[in-house]
Amino acid sequence: MTATGQHSRVILLLCFISTAACNMFAFTEEPSDRVGKSDGYCSRILRAQSNRKEVNTEFRLRVEGDPESYQPGSTYRVTLIASSPSYFRGFTLIALKAGTEGDRDEDYIGNFQIIDEEETQFMTNCPHAVTESTPRRRTSIQVFWTAPPSGSGCLLLKASIVQKRIIYFQDEGSLTKRMCEKESLYGDTTDKPLLDCCACGTAKYRVTFYGNWSEKIHPKDYPRRANHWSAIIGASHSKNYVLWEYGGFSSEGVKQVAELGSPVKMEEEIRQKGDDVLTVIKMKAQWPAWQPPNVRAAPSAEFSVDRTRHIMSFLTMLGPSPDWNVGLAAEDLCTKECGWVQKVVQDLIPWDAGTDSGVTYESPNKPTVPQDKIRPLTSLDHPQSPFYDPEGGAITPVARVVVERIARKGEQCNIVPDNVDDIVADIAQEEKEEDDTPETCIYSNWSPWSACSSATCEKGKRMRQRMLKAQLDLSVPCPHTQDFEPCMGPGCSDEDASTCMMSEWITWSPCSMSCGMGSRSRERYVKQFPDDGSVCTLPTEETENCVVNEECTPSSCLVTEWGEWDVCSATCGLGMKRRERMVKMPPADGSICGAEVLEVEKCMMPECHTIPCMLTPWSDWSDCSVTCGKGMRTRQRMLKSPVELGECTEELEQVEKCMLPECPIDCVMTEWTEWSECNKSCGKGHTIRRRVVNLEPQFGGDPCSETIQRKKCKIRKCNRGQANSDEKKRRKEQREKRRSKQGRAEVTSEHPGCKMRPWSSWTECTKLCGGGIQERLMTVKQRFKTAQLSSCKDRKEIRACNVHPC
């Protein structure tokens, strides 16, 4: 090799040290008109490096969480680390499709994102690669890397580093990370970037949010007070609308959810998108953040998608926090096979909205200026972060979301056959009514609708109720706890029948006649009754004529047609009705006619009811019986009509629970001890007394005051010659007094004839909160002959502890 060739190769290797060397080489290697996509600058770097391989274990390329596979479209933190005392001056990072040589732009995969522009930058002549901003000593660098879309297969994350004048580039080992695409458990969705959807008809989904952010799973600095999930807000929308996305900036609506937990502005932004949005997704806030499933059901909501609006996004704030949220961004529910995804299950980690710079749950408000891009939180963000892990492990998910298809409507064009649920289920066209309840009002779920007050086709009313559990802000009024809507008696509405879901017809029964004309029947059953509790009016039985062997033998009998049905035996409710027919000609052989001449079936009349009670409207609810904590409130109504008109069983008074902010608990302390003896036997000294805290203040109660007091004491003036002797004498007297006190404590007046050991230490509290107990023991040390057995025995004391609410 010539000297010029050797020089060129050195410059090639130094391309990983600084972009200046790379730019110089771009003009010395070959003329620019020969550089094309097939033989680009990046590929020349790779070929130059591949001639120099050295194995070294001082340096390591790490992807956060050390995953074996990547989730398409997910963002990961990539770190290049030098183990002490090693360091490096320059580096380069690339991501390459497995099995490719890097000769083409298409060989490079995924996207890098710069975290610190003073540390890292994109290489000038090779924009797919990340390199150092300035050559200097360093032990680590970090960048974000977003995985490619679905269908990209396996890839290699490769790093090169420069330590002094040695370049390390490894095809295998600690500077190369191989990852393959994570297999989808629930069917392939449309690749990102989002493509047009080819599915037909519409689909209906239920999204359920399972929060598992709790002190048990995430113990570090967990906020015991005010921990919650804010109201969930989202939408099913077109690909032209972006609610939020990694690498994008938060809108004002996203910012208000992220920092304040308020969905109002976000909902306003969604509704302004018009035809780009099909369904607004809303779910209630959860206070506290976690409760066992048997105490509180996971919140859920239903939404629909169609061919143009097949994307689903939502977000909810993790509170308290600076601007941390979880959610799904642009989840495509349309499959490449022109169908609808059956189910999506996704574990969620928190992400940063880029609007506040706090690093802990309860950091003070510190706006990020200028605003940062939305990014996922990582375990290496800040040592004070509750998710910090010095090893850089993956963050334990704080929530899980399940999106499950519950129905499809319209002609479907996907090649995957429908299952039974797809065939039976249908989509209700009316969306659920919007609920504008303030987030500071915490209610129970609505009760089922009551029966309609009208049993005829005249208009009546029906009612449902809910209970106000807590009013977090007394300045914001809470809406009503009762809801009314107009209704008519069963069978009077044309829509009543459509709310009944029926099974398929069972096969026909055998013909009632073995010869000639008879009848046969079939049945079906109600799979789902109407939501309002009314009766299904669709028929559950069908009857039709049937003929068996028209040329019957003379032994058959001839019967007339069936007569009309009799009037129902009941005037209201469930009754019976019947119909008859006659035998026109008995069998010629004198046998008994086997044809049925009587039929009986059930009939349903309007619901029975008594004369309605004439009642006044309910009065307003009384004030809560307490000024803080849990209490009760009442309301009344009066009977307007005389009792003789009908026996009225309606309640005239209602009582429900009410919740006000927790009552403040003041600090509780013991009494002061006696003043100690003066610490000097002569001259100026001091004496002290103490007390201890029995109960810490809670919920804004009065704080604890001082636990030790000191005051001056002065005994006779010291004589210089006698100072030491007086001091020794004083100490001797104090020792004798302590022994005397100890002796008196061991032989108490409550236990004559006994010598008792001192009290043991208190045991640990049996509960961390909600009220537990502690014990301590005093045992018999010596029993004298004159002691009575009943009066000389071990003692035990019990006291309450940790009485603060959980």
Side-chain angles (χ1 to χ4, degrees):
M1 182 180 292
T2 64
T4 303
Q6 291 178 344
H7 176 73
S8 299
R9 183 174 177 183
V10 170
I11 297 297
L12 270 171
L13 296 176
L14 292 178
C15 285
F16 283 90
I17 304 177
S18 69
T19 55
C22 292
N23 292 332
M24 178 183 70
F25 181 77
F27 293 101
T28 59
E29 164 75 2
E30 57 185 60
S32 60
D33 58 356
R34 296 181 58 188
V35 178
K37 277 192 174 182
S38 62
D39 190 21
Y41 192 81
C42 295
S43 64
R44 296 208 307 273
I45 292 175
L46 289 172
R47 287 200 298 274
Q49 291 172 333
S50 65
N51 294 328
R52 179 70 176 272
K53 298 180 184 177
E54 297 191 25
V55 178
N56 191 288
T57 58
E58 299 175 80
F59 309 100
R60 181 186 177 195
L61 176 67
R62 182 175 185 185
V63 179
E64 179 183 6
D66 293 327
E68 296 296 327
S69 56
Y70 65 88
Q71 182 75 38
S74 296
T75 300
Y76 300 88
R77 183 185 291 260
V78 178
T79 308
L80 188 58
I81 308 169
S83 59
S84 180
S86 299
Y87 63 90
F88 55 93
R89 295 182 178 276
F91 68 91
T92 300
L93 285 176
I94 59 171
L96 202 62
K97 285 184 180 179
T100 62
E101 299 296 331
D103 296 334
R104 302 168 303 166
D105 285 346
E106 302 88 74
D107 293 348
Y108 296 88
I109 198 165
N111 294 294
F112 286 105
Q113 299 173 42
I114 301 300
I115 296 178
D116 187 348
E117 293 182 353
E118 294 182 0
E119 287 284 337
T120 56
Q121 67 178 2
F122 290 105
M123 188 173 285
T124 305
N125 297 80
C126 181
H128 303 292
V130 177
T131 187
E132 76 283 350
S133 294
T134 55
R136 64 175 181 82
R137 282 192 174 199
R138 50 174 59 83
T139 57
S140 67
I141 62 96
Q142 294 181 352
V143 294
F144 285 132
W145 176 75
T146 301
S150 177
S152 300
C154 297
L155 57 89
L156 296 174
L157 280 169
K158 288 186 169 188
S160 67
I161 63 97
V162 176
Q163 183 191 36
K164 299 179 181 178
R165 295 185 179 181
I166 304 173
I167 295 177
Y168 297 97
F169 188 87
Q170 295 180 237
D171 288 329
E172 300 293 340
S174 60
L175 288 178
T176 297
K177 175 74 174 179
R178 178 184 174 89
M179 293 193 296
C180 293
E181 180 179 348
K182 186 176 182 180
E183 294 183 4
S184 174
L185 299 178
Y186 308 104
D188 293 334
T189 56
T190 306
D191 289 348
K192 295 180 180 180
L194 299 170
L195 304 176
D196 291 334
C197 178
C198 59
C200 302
T202 59
K204 188 173 186 179
Y205 287 86
R206 179 181 295 112
V207 53
T208 307
F209 182 84
Y210 300 93
N212 62 350
W213 176 51
S214 65
E215 187 173 11
K216 180 178 180 181
I217 300 176
H218 304 86
K220 184 181 179 184
D221 299 333
Y222 186 80
R224 294 191 176 184
R225 294 180 58 185
N227 60 79
H228 69 282
W229 292 105
S230 73
I232 295 174
I233 183 70
S236 57
H237 56 90
S238 72
K239 65 178 184 177
N240 299 324
Y241 175 42
V242 177
L243 270 75
W244 70 273
E245 64 177 346
Y246 290 127
F249 289 98
S250 295
S251 66
E252 182 60 30
V254 172
K255 177 182 178 181
Q256 290 194 16
V257 174
E259 295 188 16
L260 308 175
S262 170
V264 177
K265 183 65 178 178
M266 186 77 249
E267 183 177 352
E268 179 183 328
E269 291 178 356
I270 292 173
R271 295 189 182 279
Q272 288 175 350
K273 291 300 176 180
D275 292 339
D276 280 329
V277 172
L278 181 58
T279 307
V280 179
I281 299 171
K282 299 169 66 177
M283 287 180 265
K284 289 289 188 181
Q286 299 176 79
W287 294 75
W290 187 87
Q291 283 187 327
N294 60 341
V295 175
R296 181 181 67 200
S300 64
E302 295 178 1
F303 66 93
S304 299
V305 292
D306 59 18
R307 176 176 288 189
T308 59
R309 294 159 292 188
H310 50 96
I311 311 298
M312 178 266 194
S313 305
F314 79 88
L315 69 159
T316 175
M317 173 199 182
L318 177 118
S321 71
D323 58 347
W324 300 342
N325 286 245
V326 301
L328 288 181
E331 185 68 31
D332 195 347
L333 300 176
C334 183
T335 68
K336 291 187 291 186
E337 292 79 17
C338 301
W340 300 109
V341 173
Q342 178 68 42
K343 190 174 183 180
V344 175
V345 179
Q346 185 72 45
D347 289 324
L348 306 176
I349 63 170
W351 49 268
D352 190 314
T355 61
D356 193 288
S357 300
V359 296
T360 65
Y361 288 124
E362 299 181 286
S363 292
N365 187 37
K366 184 180 179 183
T368 302
V369 180
Q371 185 173 324
D372 283 342
K373 294 179 179 179
I374 297 174
R375 65 171 184 87
L377 293 182
T378 75
S379 60
L380 295 172
D381 283 338
H382 195 282
Q384 294 180 5
S385 167
F387 304 107
Y388 180 72
D389 178 6
E391 297 297 322
I395 292 177
T396 303
V398 296
R400 168 173 289 186
V401 63
V402 178
V403 182
E404 191 168 11
R405 195 182 76 214
I406 57 177
R408 295 195 290 188
K409 187 174 183 180
E411 182 178 355
Q412 301 293 314
C413 55
N414 64 310
I415 61 175
V416 180
D418 290 351
N419 56 29
V420 175
D421 293 334
D422 296 331
I423 298 172
V424 173
D426 195 6
I427 298 176
Q429 293 299 306
E430 296 180 1
E431 293 184 13
K432 292 186 177 180
E433 62 181 354
E434 298 176 6
D435 189 352
D436 296 326
T437 303
E439 293 304 318
T440 55
C441 301
I442 309 301
Y443 289 95
S444 66
N445 293 329
W446 283 107
S447 67
W449 286 104
S450 66
C452 189
S453 62
S454 171
T456 66
C457 289
E458 295 181 359
K459 287 187 176 181
K461 290 194 302 183
R462 61 177 184 168
M463 179 189 73
R464 62 177 181 173
Q465 294 178 311
R466 61 180 176 178
M467 184 178 73
L468 180 64
K469 290 185 175 181
Q471 187 173 357
L472 305 179
D473 187 350
L474 298 180
S475 65
V476 178
C478 290
H480 56 276
T481 56
Q482 284 187 326
D483 193 14
F484 296 88
E485 72 173 16
C487 61
M488 292 188 293
C492 297
S493 172
D494 294 337
E495 298 179 356
D496 283 350
S498 65
T499 60
C500 289
M501 186 179 294
M502 309 297 293
S503 70
E504 297 295 327
W505 287 104
I506 299 173
T507 56
W508 288 102
S509 65
C511 193
S512 61
M513 299 294 293
S514 59
C515 179
M517 179 174 291
S519 63
R520 63 176 184 172
S521 63
R522 64 176 182 175
E523 297 178 346
R524 62 179 177 177
Y525 59 94
V526 179
K527 292 186 68 175
Q528 180 177 319
F529 286 91
D531 294 336
D532 60 4
S534 60
V535 178
C536 282
T537 58
L538 294 175
T540 58
E541 185 176 357
E542 281 187 348
T543 304
E544 70 176 14
N545 294 331
C546 56
V547 177
V548 179
N549 190 10
E550 294 182 356
E551 299 177 359
C552 294
T553 62
S555 62
S556 63
C557 61
L558 298 178
V559 293
T560 63
E561 297 292 330
W562 285 106
E564 297 291 331
W565 287 102
D566 291 343
V567 178
C568 190
S569 62
T571 57
C572 64
L574 183 65
M576 304 295 292
K577 63 181 179 178
R578 53 180 283 173
R579 66 177 180 176
E580 297 178 350
R581 62 180 176 180
M582 304 291 292
V583 177
K584 293 172 62 177
M585 181 182 296
D589 58 4
S591 61
I592 298 175
C593 183
E596 293 184 4
V597 294
L598 176 65
E599 278 190 344
V600 179
E601 72 174 22
K602 297 176 183 178
C603 53
M604 176 64 72
M605 300 298 287
E607 184 179 356
C608 298
H609 64 283
T610 58
I611 298 174
C613 299
M614 301 294 290
L615 298 167
T616 63
W618 284 106
S619 67
D620 293 334
W621 285 103
S622 65
D623 293 334
C624 197
S625 60
V626 297
T627 57
C628 60
K630 297 179 180 178
M632 305 295 291
R633 64 176 189 171
T634 61
R635 65 174 182 177
Q636 296 84 27
R637 61 181 176 180
M638 299 181 62
L639 185 65
K640 292 168 60 176
S641 59
V643 181
E644 308 87 63
L645 293 180
E647 189 173 337
C648 187
T649 58
E650 298 289 339
E651 59 181 344
L652 301 179
E653 184 176 21
Q654 287 184 339
V655 180
E656 73 173 13
K657 297 177 182 178
C658 51
M659 171 69 78
L660 293 176
E662 295 284 358
C663 298
I665 299 176
D666 298 335
C667 176
V668 178
M669 308 183 75
T670 62
E671 295 294 329
W672 287 105
T673 62
E674 297 293 332
W675 288 101
S676 67
E677 295 184 4
C678 193
N679 68 332
K680 297 289 182 65
S681 61
C682 63
K684 294 181 180 180
H686 68 267
T687 178
I688 61 174
R689 64 175 182 175
R690 293 184 173 86
R691 59 179 177 180
V692 297
V693 176
N694 276 348
L695 179 62
E696 295 286 349
Q698 300 179 56
F699 311 117
D702 292 340
C704 298
S705 54
E706 58 187 352
T707 57
I708 184 169
Q709 286 184 345
R710 182 192 306 262
K711 69 178 181 179
K712 296 179 180 179
C713 56
K714 185 175 182 181
I715 308 179
R716 66 184 184 281
K717 190 173 182 180
C718 294
N719 296 325
R720 290 185 178 180
Q722 298 178 352
N724 292 336
S725 60
D726 290 344
E727 180 67 18
K728 291 180 180 178
K729 183 178 179 181
R730 184 185 65 80
R731 291 178 180 175
K732 182 177 180 182
E733 290 175 352
Q734 287 181 344
R735 284 196 299 270
E736 290 176 352
K737 286 182 180 180
R738 282 198 296 271
R739 291 195 189 100
S740 177
K741 286 183 180 180
Q742 185 174 358
R744 288 197 300 271
E746 290 181 346
V747 184
T748 62
S749 60
E750 297 179 16
H751 296 77
C754 295
K755 179 180 287 188
M756 307 296 290
R757 292 186 174 86
W759 283 105
S760 66
S761 301
W762 289 102
T763 61
E764 292 186 3
C765 193
T766 58
K767 293 183 179 180
L768 296 176
C769 58
I773 59 172
Q774 291 176 294
E775 297 180 353
R776 68 173 182 174
L777 297 174
M778 175 187 285
T779 57
V780 177
K781 183 176 182 181
Q782 183 179 358
R783 181 182 290 107
F784 302 117
K785 293 181 180 180
T786 58
Q788 297 181 5
L789 182 62
S790 60
S791 63
C792 189
K793 56 185 179 180
D794 296 344
R795 294 183 60 194
K796 180 169 73 172
E797 284 191 351
I798 298 176
R799 72 178 183 183
C801 56
N802 292 343
V803 296
H804 58 277
C806 295

